Amino acid sequence: QDTDMVVNAFEVKGNIDYSKLVDKFGSKLIDEDLIDRIERLTVGRGTVPYLHRFLRREIFFSHRDMTKICDCVENNKPFYLYTGRGPSSGAMHLGHLVPFLFTQWLQQAFQCPLVIQMTDDEKFIFKGNYDEETGDNLEYFASLTIENAKDIIACGFVPEKTFLFSDLDYVGTMYPNIVRIWKAVTNNTVSGIFGFDGTSNIGKTAFPAIQAAPSFPSSFPIVLGAARTAGQFNSPNHDMACLIPCAIDQDPYFRMTRDIAHKLVPKSHPLGGKPALIHSKFFPPLQGAEGKMSSSDANSAIFLTDSSDEIEKKIKSHAFSGGQESKKLQEKHGANLVVDVSYQWLTFFLEDDDELLKIGTDYSTGRGEFWSTGKVKARLVEVLREIVDEHQRKRALVTEEIVREWMTERPLV
């Protein structure tokens, strides 16, 4: 039922109707004209060989002002990428990888700087605890930032164009803009968007401004060369637009940001200060193609630390099947691809469009090489093992010293 759908900044559950979600949030679907335009400005300029599969398959499906980012590219006006991660567990899972894989492609495709916010402060505010004997666990979330940063660096970003920062470390530099956002946004607005009430700690109410701040170049006086001198905008870099790739549940933060953005940029800013967004669909949990994958349920996720054997066991034991109960019924009716998790995961991670089409055709008709659930699961296991093995190999090369280098303030432009 559509009524079961819940999508907000803190909870995703139910059967997600993405068309209704776009209507509810007020974003726009990415249409063929925009896809063609992005392809012309990236593949057409020789920066990448082809469009990312997430665009080809409508996994990144919705946007705010992506057309204006294309205008910037056509007019040789610079922009930067901003994405982030709330470090809630030491091991990231495949669902966490989705926005970073796409952001890596965007950085290569548009040859632009990237800032990555690690919201260790947010995770403590929302999930931290205090013990009378041992104190609080703020440092635990700070340590997760380092571990998660290794996974993010392993995604292949350009070191000279990427700044990765912990809020606990960097918030002082952003503080003038955080104060400006606090001044511009009312408690009623924040409570209305995020559902906070009188029982919420004051950090929860204050935090959205901290996630909003990196949307503005002046939050990065050294990194983006956008310092404000005596409050004045005296660098052309203050006109840099910002593009945020994220899952659509993060959109509420930036609806709030866009409403007050004009107060933090010069009048010459090409988007009036508003960050542009490009939204992804949710990566479904193993148990069924509803909601999104969770770190808190080990059997709902494939973690980037899982062994080849663990990957195979989880897929074979836990991946929800849209196939029929018997060979005879499968050959007669075929599988339901919409609810079959193994097929859905292949749409995210199998690069070859022709092979994906063949798997979908075979499986949905109960004929051909991939006629059965077992065959499709076996192919998925091969794909995931390759991705996770490669990731683990790259991550093993990332030392804490390398993480510190990526987290050091330095000019990217």
Side-chain angles (χ1 to χ4, degrees):
Q1 297 295 315
D2 291 338
T3 52
D4 294 335
M5 180 174 77
V6 175
V7 177
N8 59 50
F10 311 113
E11 185 179 23
V12 176
K13 66 179 183 180
N15 187 21
I16 311 299
D17 183 326
Y18 288 101
S19 296
K20 287 194 172 181
L21 200 53
V22 163
D23 288 342
K24 179 184 172 187
F25 280 8
S27 59
K28 291 183 178 177
L29 290 170
I30 297 174
D31 58 21
E32 281 301 314
D33 286 346
L34 182 53
I35 289 281
D36 290 346
R37 195 175 176 198
I38 293 170
E39 185 169 25
R40 204 164 57 242
L41 294 172
T42 57
V43 181
R45 293 186 174 195
T47 53
V48 285
Y50 38 74
L51 277 180
H52 199 283
R53 61 184 180 273
F54 293 167
L55 282 173
R56 304 196 305 263
R57 297 173 191 165
E58 299 180 359
I59 288 168
F60 273 79
F61 73 106
S62 158
H63 75 102
R64 294 183 187 276
D65 283 338
M66 186 65 200
T67 50
K68 293 184 179 178
I69 294 293
C70 291
D71 292 343
C72 288
V73 177
E74 288 169 352
N75 295 320
N76 291 316
K77 290 183 176 177
F79 75 94
Y80 69 99
L81 294 163
Y82 159 37
T83 194
R85 159 91 182 123
S88 58
S89 63
M92 287 168 57
H93 60 56
L94 285 174
H96 296 140
L97 215 50
V98 169
F100 290 111
L101 292 175
F102 188 60
T103 302
Q104 188 275 333
W105 182 86
L106 287 170
Q107 185 183 48
Q108 185 181 343
F110 289 110
Q111 304 282 295
C112 56
L114 161 67
V115 296
I116 302 173
Q117 180 183 44
M118 305 298 284
T119 57
D120 35 22
D121 53 344
E122 174 211 18
K123 289 303 174 186
F124 175 71
I125 289 166
F126 283 85
K127 295 187 174 182
N129 53 50
Y130 175 81
D131 181 272
E132 289 290 346
E133 298 298 321
T134 58
D136 65 42
N137 62 344
L138 180 60
E139 288 304 315
Y140 166 71
F141 292 101
S143 71
L144 294 183
T145 285
I146 304 299
E147 290 306 307
N148 286 188
K150 293 175 183 177
D151 283 309
I152 292 166
I153 291 167
C155 291
F157 298 106
V158 181
E160 299 78 25
K161 287 187 176 289
T162 308
F163 175 53
L164 207 152
F165 64 97
S166 148
D167 281 345
L168 290 173
D169 289 339
Y170 189 71
V171 74
T173 307
M174 299 192 295
Y175 193 64
N177 278 348
I178 291 167
V179 171
R180 291 179 175 109
I181 297 163
W182 283 337
K183 174 71 173 168
V185 180
T186 66
N187 261 319
N188 284 346
T189 298
V190 171
S191 298
I193 293 172
F194 298 102
F196 300 141
D197 59 28
T199 66
S200 303
N201 66 56
I202 58 175
K204 290 183 179 181
T205 315
F207 177 74
I210 298 170
Q211 186 157 323
S215 309
F216 305 104
S218 53
S219 293
F220 303 97
I222 293 172
V223 171
L224 296 180
R228 288 179 72 164
T229 308
Q232 299 304 303
F233 301 107
N234 48 12
S235 163
N237 293 350
H238 287 293
D239 283 336
M240 284 182 86
C242 175
L243 172 62
I244 303 169
C246 61
I248 196 166
D249 60 333
Q250 294 300 297
D251 185 76
Y253 284 103
F254 302 109
R255 289 206 300 278
M256 179 201 82
T257 309
R258 286 166 58 89
D259 284 346
I260 54 92
H262 61 283
K263 296 184 176 183
L264 283 94
V265 295
K267 286 186 165 48
S268 52
H269 191 284
L271 278 74
K274 293 180 178 182
L277 290 99
I278 186 162
H279 300 125
S280 74
K281 295 176 179 175
F282 302 116
F283 188 58
L286 278 169
Q287 284 85 345
E290 293 187 354
K292 70 173 183 177
M293 187 179 277
S294 170
S295 295
S296 56
D297 181 355
N299 287 326
S300 81
I302 298 291
F303 289 90
L304 299 176
T305 50
D306 282 349
S307 67
S308 287
D309 287 347
E310 285 172 321
I311 291 170
E312 182 174 23
K313 184 179 178 185
K314 284 183 179 181
I315 297 300
K316 288 187 172 176
S317 303
H318 299 292
F320 185 82
S321 170
Q324 304 297 329
E325 291 179 0
S326 69
K327 183 180 180 188
K328 186 176 180 181
L329 286 171
Q330 177 64 15
E331 288 174 339
K332 182 178 180 182
H333 298 295
N336 179 349
L337 301 184
V338 175
V339 301
D340 190 274
V341 168
S342 298
Y343 177 77
Q344 290 299 323
W345 281 28
L346 284 167
T347 67
F348 277 81
F349 288 114
L350 181 64
E351 183 60 52
D352 189 322
D353 291 341
D354 293 335
E355 186 183 1
L356 184 69
L357 178 63
K358 175 177 169 46
I359 291 170
T361 303
D362 286 3
Y363 193 29
S364 63
T365 58
R367 299 184 182 89
E369 181 185 355
F370 296 100
W371 69 276
S372 70
T373 299
K375 298 285 188 184
V376 177
K377 284 189 173 185
R379 183 66 185 108
L380 176 62
V381 168
E382 290 175 356
V383 171
L384 296 185
R385 278 176 168 168
E386 188 177 331
I387 288 168
V388 174
D389 284 352
E390 175 77 354
H391 181 85
Q392 289 174 357
R393 188 182 63 76
K394 289 178 177 175
R395 189 191 191 278
L397 301 174
V398 183
T399 62
E400 290 207 8
E401 185 180 348
I402 288 172
V403 173
R404 295 294 172 202
E405 289 171 7
W406 286 65
M407 296 179 80
T408 299
E409 271 189 276
R410 64 213 185 277
L412 304 183
V413 293

